[in-house]
Amino acid sequence: MKIGLFIPCYVNAVYPEVGIAAFKLLKSLGLEVDYPLNQTCCGQPMANAGFEAEATRLALRMEDLFAAYEYVVGPSASCVAFVKENHPHILEEAGHVCQNSEKIYDICEFLHDVVKPTHLQAEFPHKVSLHNSCHGVRELHLSSPSERNIPYYSKLRDLLQLVKGIEVFEPKRIDECCGFGGMFSIEEPEVSVCMGKDKVRDHMSTGAEYITGADSSCLMHMQGVINREQLPIKTIHIVQILAAGL
Amino acid sequence: MSSKEDILARIRQNTRTRYEMPDLKLDAITYEDKIHTFIEQLKAGGGEAHLLQPGEKVDEVIRSYYPDAKRIASNLPEIGCATFNPDELSDPRELDGTDLAIVKGSFGVAENAAVWLPKQTRHKAVFFISNALVILLDKEEIVHNMNEAYRRLADADYDYGVFMSGPSKTADIEQALVFGAHGPIRVTVVLV
Amino acid sequence: MTTKHAIAGTRFIANETQEKWHDETLWMVRAKRDKQSRSLPEWERLRDLASAIKMYSNSHLDTLLEEFERNAVANGAIVHWAKDAEEHNRIVYDILKQHGAKNLIKSKSMLTEECEMSPYLFSKGIDVVESDLGERILQLMKLKPSHIVLPAIHVKRQAIGQMMEEKLGTEPGNYDPTYLTHAMRRHLRDKFLHADVAMTGANFAVASTGEIVVCTNEGNADMGTSFPKVHIATFGMEKIVPNREALGVFTRLLARSGTGQPVTSYTSHYRRPPEGGEFHIIIVDNGRSDILADADHVKTLNCIRCGECMNTCPVYRRTGGYSYTYFIPGPIGINLGMLRNPKQFADNVSACSLCLSCSNVCPAKVDLGEQIYKWRQKLDRIGRANPEKKLMSAGMKFLMERPALFNTALKFAPVVNHLPRFMVYNAANAWGKGRELPAFAKESFNDLWKKNKVK
């Protein structure tokens, strides 16, 4: 099983430690992981802003970078969802059949559904509040969307249950949007910030010390709110918890 | 070209894939005790239910619920407490000021406490204009859910009919629930 | 970099008390809806069926509308066809004129709003009286609805009470909702009794029986039609359903979705004209037949106007209905506005974080969020793309397509971490409104990997 590690642009630039944790975690499970050099962006920011065509060359580039791998695994649900949901029709217009969409996984999804570890070394003696990010929930099905009448499940919670000492909570509005939304965060900044504040408060009301989830972009937005308001809670990507101690 | 022909032509021109009608069979919810569920749902929606006990007389029950009602409308022959027959009025406006109307439901629906009321009086206003409404309903005539209800109505003939569930209500002022927006403020279903 | 929605939304948020109340109250409706949807194990199956029935009916409008007309005529109704708003309004006015009507009592109808019927009739000297309590309050306050199901959700009881003091002579300072509602009941009772002609919309029109179905909680449609000799019912043609059995699916979804009730208080079936009177039914196109040809957006015709996409939308809840430029706000309104006139209503397309809650909540499975994404792709072609956003996007594209440049940029990015605050958080930096910028890493993942530091 040859895994190509997909490191989205902002993880590369802002959260390299999330990439490192992802790498270590996969390695620790005995998997063959490689990072194809010089990755940039999947094109989601441009496409969500309304310029899907600007993602074409980036999508093609990703196809080349990951052609040799059986799986593409990344620590960002939203970017993975974009490749899965949108690269196929973007590439179709360029006369290319998308390969990545069939083999790309968010790292939590990959661990939960493919690797299925029964134990982890990780220990994290803290209270965490799960951030069920929109695209993780409603596109990648990492947990049951609150709108649907289907039995509750959460792949993130299942994985965190393998971590020693952790206490997992969820906010009252279990999967309400945090307001990041890519370009939405700067096109409607006041609304985005208002949603962000509400979301952080909801996480705080659980009594958690950390907000954790599969999307660094949501966490980056909420951390921005936390820092501005100087709130007593921190954000941490879920792979950093799962890889704790590695 | 008439507007009708024009519209139909545009529809035909613009319709793409024609989808099949789905099979509407579904495993809709059923309740162990339909009468109980009906009563619970009616209460939740602001209505009142009275399960007629052996020996109780409908007229007396109605009177006990509405001791102060003065103008009572009903065209039901079995109702003795009515003070007038609304079918004798030529103008439905004369019904204004009715305290209580008594009508008969054909069947009820357990899942939402709706009662099917086909028009049974000369003026359908009887259902709506009085301050309170008593609906007599055979407790054996309760179906589980709306799917069943509409199958029952598949070929029914009526001029007008309404599924009524509890009193008239509104929450248009700050989402505060108030009964009696326009229609009955109180609705009592007497299960006989 | 901003849209009319963003500007108006910012104003709404500035009144924090009101914004919080609006958000929480509508969230409560969403919570009630969740409870109701979970009371039915077959909920998701009902949504599938509702969607499938609409896909069938909207792809068979030609035959179903003709079937409806045949049956309605057999019931004694008079059926009219209106190509557009203008024809619709003229038909209504002609009926009123024929009967020498001076006033019209009408229940809530999004279609008459769409056709701007009331202003037209007022200009012809007809007194149009809204009979839905919320709509009547707004009419007396000279305000527009801000929600399709909860029209006065943005108005506080004090404002309503003060208006009623002035216009209806209610007790000064009495803002109790029950008191005000019952005062409105008396006011409208008089209007009902003295109405010349009644008008309703329709939630459903049943092809196999030629009847129309109107759902209300107040009973205002029924009161309205109980006294005048003439009833005009109007519906957009996508309101057609094939038969009564289909109603069994929709009536179970509509109120549960819209207000979190198991059913509306009244689900009224109008089949034959009132005694000695006339029953007019108007079938309206007004752009709907064009939507049939639009594969990306045809599913908007599935909409049953429950309003739940507004209640669930995190943006709508925090910005209110008036922040949208189309008369229907929220996710469905963004889409319907674009279908009406994309250039005119493009400002609403920014009002979405693409969270997709609307698509999952919709009882008829309209792919609302996905459609907004598609509209964004079309903005540039119609000349309504935001120039700054376009520039940013093009800049990102330029950078991301050049890995060497991207890597160099990342090397220098940490410099931003040390810039003085005023340079980072100047007025042009929208991110800085309420948020700190993330700090760039000293070494990017790519650099770390190259230096063999990822182990």
Side-chain angles (χ1 to χ4, degrees), chain B residues 4-178:
Chain B
K4 174 186 169 182
E5 285 162 10
D6 193 37
I7 291 168
L8 290 173
R10 292 173 68 91
I11 290 170
R12 284 186 200 110
Q13 190 195 325
N14 288 342
T15 298
R16 297 290 181 260
T17 315
R18 289 204 186 240
Y19 294 90
E20 291 299 306
M21 178 67 182
D23 182 352
L24 296 187
K25 264 198 222 86
L26 89 159
D27 212 357
I29 196 163
T30 55
Y31 302 92
E32 252 173 59
D33 184 343
K34 285 186 283 189
I35 299 171
H36 174 76
T37 306
F38 178 90
I39 292 171
E40 289 303 306
Q41 287 294 332
L42 185 61
K43 284 182 190 160
E48 302 163 323
H50 184 93
L51 193 55
L52 198 73
Q53 300 302 314
E56 277 188 324
K57 290 201 172 70
V58 172
D59 273 321
E60 283 165 16
V61 167
I62 294 172
R63 265 297 173 204
S64 74
Y65 274 81
Y66 297 97
D68 302 326
K70 296 204 167 50
R71 265 191 96 195
I72 303 176
S74 187
N75 69 354
L76 300 174
E78 66 267 38
I79 294 299
C81 62
T83 59
F84 70 104
N85 180 349
D87 291 347
E88 285 164 8
L89 304 179
S90 60
D91 187 343
R93 288 170 181 83
E94 294 171 58
L95 287 162
D96 192 28
T98 302
D99 297 313
L100 176 67
I102 300 153
V103 299
K104 206 166 199 168
S106 348
F107 65 92
V109 186
E111 71 162 322
N112 57 20
V115 180
W116 177 246
L117 296 170
K119 186 166 172 267
Q120 54 197 267
T121 44
R122 183 173 172 192
H123 310 291
K124 83 172 193 290
V126 172
F127 291 145
F128 307 101
I129 200 165
S130 63
N131 286 334
L133 186 71
V134 167
I135 302 171
L136 307 182
L137 181 66
D138 180 344
K139 65 177 186 294
E140 300 308 320
E141 297 291 331
I142 293 176
V143 300
H144 291 284
N145 55 60
M146 290 302 274
N147 297 91
E148 217 181 315
Y150 276 109
R151 276 199 297 276
R152 187 166 164 156
L153 287 178
D155 303 310
D157 188 20
Y158 47 80
D159 293 351
Y160 164 91
V162 58
F163 279 105
M164 188 186 294
S165 175
S168 158
K169 53 177 98 65
T170 181
D172 273 339
I173 302 175
E174 285 191 11
Q175 278 295 293
L177 181 63
V178 181

Side-chain angles (χ1 to χ4, degrees), chain C residues 47-152:
Chain C
R47 289 177 71 229
D48 288 337
L49 279 178
S51 172
I53 295 168
K54 284 288 182 182
M55 294 309 276
Y56 162 78
S57 57
N58 287 329
S59 64
H60 291 81
L61 284 176
D62 46 354
T63 49
L64 290 173
L65 289 172
E66 284 204 285
E67 184 188 350
F68 175 86
E69 183 186 38
R70 266 198 313 280
N71 289 317
V73 169
N75 294 337
I78 302 159
V79 177
H80 310 260
W81 299 68
K83 273 186 292 202
D84 52 26
E86 195 193 338
E87 188 172 16
H88 169 265
N89 294 347
R90 209 175 45 239
I91 291 168
V92 175
Y93 180 60
D94 286 346
I95 298 167
L96 293 170
K97 214 162 53 178
Q98 253 172 39
H99 292 274
K102 296 270 185 297
N103 68 54
L104 176 72
I105 189 119
K106 69 177 281 285
S107 63
K108 191 146 68 76
S109 149
M110 285 303 112
L111 179 59
T112 59
E113 291 280 333
E114 175 187 317
C115 293
E116 296 178 348
M117 182 193 79
S118 296
Y120 167 84
L121 292 180
F122 276 117
S123 78
K124 299 278 183 191
I126 305 286
D127 183 21
V128 182
V129 179
E130 294 287 350
S131 62
D132 174 87
L133 188 103
E135 293 276 349
R136 182 61 178 164
I137 288 169
L138 294 176
Q139 191 180 35
L140 290 171
M141 294 177 91
K142 300 196 185 342
L143 291 174
K144 291 214 178 282
S146 74
H147 187 293
I148 63 170
V149 172
L150 318 167

Side-chain angles (χ1 to χ4, degrees), chain A residues 124-162:
Chain A
F124 196 74
H126 298 286
K127 292 178 175 175
V128 303
S129 181
L130 259 187
H131 185 67
N132 298 302
S133 59
C134 299
H135 293 175
V137 175
R138 299 188 189 89
E139 290 196 309
L140 293 184
H141 315 294
L142 295 179
S143 61
S144 42
S146 61
E147 299 86 7
R148 307 282 303 281
N149 183 0
I150 55 175
Y152 173 88
Y153 72 89
S154 167
K155 296 181 183 181
L156 304 191
R157 187 185 273 274
D158 289 350
L159 290 171
L160 287 175
Q161 256 147 18
L162 302 174

Side-chain angles (χ1 to χ4, degrees), chain A residues 69-202:
Chain A
Y69 299 93
E70 251 179 283
Y71 292 100
V72 183
V73 176
S76 171
S78 187
C79 305
V80 167
F82 182 73
V83 172
K84 215 182 175 83
E85 298 288 320
N86 291 300
H87 275 198
H89 70 255
I90 290 171
L91 288 169
E92 197 185 337
E93 284 181 31
H96 178 91
V97 179
C98 183
Q99 306 292 325
N100 284 342
S101 61
E102 297 296 316
K103 60 183 183 186
I104 195 163
Y105 288 84
D106 166 73
I107 189 162
C108 293
E109 184 187 20
F110 184 71
L111 292 174
H112 190 277
D113 297 353
V114 181
V115 184
K116 301 177 183 167
T118 50
H119 70 277
L120 293 173
Q121 295 175 31
E123 196 173 332
F124 196 74
H126 298 286
K127 292 178 175 175
V128 303
S129 181
L130 259 187
H131 185 67
N132 298 302
S133 59
C134 299
H135 293 175
V137 175
R138 299 188 189 89
E139 290 196 309
L140 293 184
H141 315 294
L142 295 179
S143 61
S144 42
S146 61
E147 299 86 7
R148 307 282 303 281
N149 183 0
I150 55 175
Y152 173 88
Y153 72 89
S154 167
K155 296 181 183 181
L156 304 191
R157 187 185 273 274
D158 289 350
L159 290 171
L160 287 175
Q161 256 147 18
L162 302 174
V163 175
K164 285 177 246 358
I166 199 166
E167 280 184 83
V168 182
F169 300 87
E170 286 182 278
K172 279 197 278 302
R173 299 186 187 181
I174 196 165
D175 52 13
E176 164 113 316
C177 181
C178 68
F180 174 61
M183 289 259 190
F184 172 78
S185 64
I186 45 177
E187 194 168 27
E188 301 238 1
E190 284 82 359
V191 187
S192 170
V193 167
C194 183
M195 288 162 69
K197 285 184 187 170
D198 288 352
K199 189 74 202 188
V200 171
R201 278 195 207 106
D202 200 354

